[in-house]
């Protein structure tokens, strides 16, 4: 007989969400008990107990959704690239590139180029455009996804 498999520990965010869900559920149960006893006694505590119960049900559902979302996030983190888990399905990280040596001034080195600022972009006035032949069969409109000319920038 093999040894029982040990369960993995839940990630911290999932555990804290589960604790909040249990606390909210217990708050809801206390509200249900107080509302039941207040309805039997005909007490004024029935209304606040019903409000607490309603808020508790809403909070419990919220916490259960938080558990589901945090479990999904934790699972994606385990399966994601560069994860440390061996069965995560991630690819092997490529080997780092070897560092290149810095060029040293002296004989045999590349000539040093000085910095030249690039000319700034100035839009040209629109020119008369020559009709270009259409691709495809004669009489057929060109495909909309393929533009015939590069887009023109609007001039002000």
């Amino acid at each position: 007989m093999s040894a029982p498999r040990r369960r993995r520990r839940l990630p911290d965010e999932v555990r804290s969400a589960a604790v909040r869900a249990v606390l909210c559920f217990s708050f809801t149960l206390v509200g249900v008990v107080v509302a039941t006893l207040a309805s039997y006694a005909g007490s004024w505590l029935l209304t606040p107990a019903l409000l607490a119960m309603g808020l508790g049900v809403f909070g419990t559902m919220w916490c259960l959704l938080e558990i589901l979302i945090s479990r999904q996030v934790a699972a994606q983190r385990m399966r994601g690239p560069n994860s440390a888990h061996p069965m995560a399905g991630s690819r092997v990280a490529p080997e780092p590139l070897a560092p290149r040596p810095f060029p040293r001034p002296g004989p045999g080195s590349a000539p040093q180029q000085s910095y030249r600022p690039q000319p700034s972009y100035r839009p040209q006035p629109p020119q008369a455009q020559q009709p270009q032949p259409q691709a495809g069969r004669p009489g057929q409109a060109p495909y909309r996804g393929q533009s015939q000319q590069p887009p023109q920038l609007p001039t002000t």
Side-chain angles (χ1 to χ4, degrees):
M1 184 165 172
S2 65
R5 186 174 158 189
R6 223 175 122 193
R7 291 184 66 163
R8 264 193 334 229
R9 179 178 165 150
L10 288 173
D12 289 340
E13 61 268 10
V14 178
R15 237 178 322 122
S16 60
V19 167
R20 280 191 295 271
V22 168
L23 288 174
C24 208
F25 182 69
S26 63
F27 175 70
T28 305
L29 285 181
V30 167
V32 168
V33 169
V34 170
T36 305
L37 293 176
S39 69
Y40 288 153
S43 173
W44 60 273
L45 285 175
L46 180 62
T47 304
L50 287 175
L51 286 173
M53 187 179 63
L55 287 175
V57 168
F58 177 76
T60 303
M61 290 301 125
W62 185 276
C63 290
L64 290 176
L65 280 174
E66 184 184 8
I67 289 173
L68 290 175
I69 291 170
S70 60
R71 281 179 59 111
Q72 288 296 317
V73 168
Q76 286 178 358
R77 195 175 297 134
M78 289 287 286
R79 283 192 296 264
N82 300 327
S83 66
H85 194 270
M87 300 300 287
S90 63
R91 298 186 198 132
V92 176
E95 300 210 9
L97 297 175
R100 295 183 187 173
F102 289 114
R104 297 183 183 168
S109 66
Q112 298 290 331
Q113 295 180 355
S114 62
Y115 171 73
R116 290 185 221 145
Q118 298 293 327
S120 63
Y121 173 74
R122 293 184 187 151
Q124 300 294 325
Q127 300 173 357
Q129 298 176 357
Q130 299 288 333
Q132 295 182 349
Q134 296 182 356
R137 290 181 268 172
Q140 181 183 13
Y143 178 65
R144 291 180 187 255
Q146 299 172 350
S147 61
Q148 296 293 326
Q149 299 169 356
Q152 297 289 329
L153 294 175
T155 57
T156 55

